[in-house]
Amino acid sequence: MTYTLLQNTLENSLELLRNQSIGGLTRYLTLNMITSIKIPLPPIHIQHQIVAQITREQKIVNANKELIIIFENKIKDRIANVWGE
């Protein structure tokens, strides 16, 4: 299994694990909770296709984050111009 596919699978299971964790101040997971995570193991060529798709999508997400920063700065500059700052 490729590292990226395993990481993505575990990240998707993280919220479920958080909800299942028990305890008051210190929360913990039991061995049964951890071993109940099903990790799919498709053939390696399918794994590579999945990783390639995740990588393409992550590049788009990162580019959009940069655009958000650029436009937030433009908005701040425009507001500053309106208020004479």
Side-chain angles (χ1 to χ4, degrees):
M1 171 172 274
T2 63
Y3 172 77
T4 304
L5 184 58
L6 177 60
Q7 178 184 10
N8 188 266
T9 302
L10 292 176
E11 285 176 356
N12 289 337
S13 299
L14 189 57
E15 189 62 32
L16 176 64
L17 290 174
R18 281 190 184 122
N19 291 337
Q20 289 181 347
S21 63
I22 55 179
L25 191 55
T26 303
R27 300 184 62 82
Y28 64 93
L29 299 169
T30 65
L31 182 59
N32 284 339
M33 291 174 189
I34 295 170
T35 57
S36 71
I37 298 172
K38 301 294 182 211
I39 299 176
L41 189 59
I44 193 71
H45 72 280
I46 299 294
Q47 292 181 44
H48 288 299
Q49 291 173 357
I50 294 169
V51 169
Q53 180 65 29
I54 290 170
T55 302
R56 285 191 297 272
E57 291 173 4
Q58 191 60 51
K59 286 180 183 177
I60 294 169
V61 168
N62 291 338
N64 285 330
K65 286 179 180 179
E66 289 180 34
L67 278 174
I68 289 169
I69 291 170
I70 290 169
F71 281 100
E72 283 176 342
N73 289 331
K74 286 183 178 189
I75 291 168
K76 287 177 187 175
D77 291 343
R78 182 65 68 176
I79 290 172
N81 286 339
V82 168
W83 291 104
E85 296 177 3

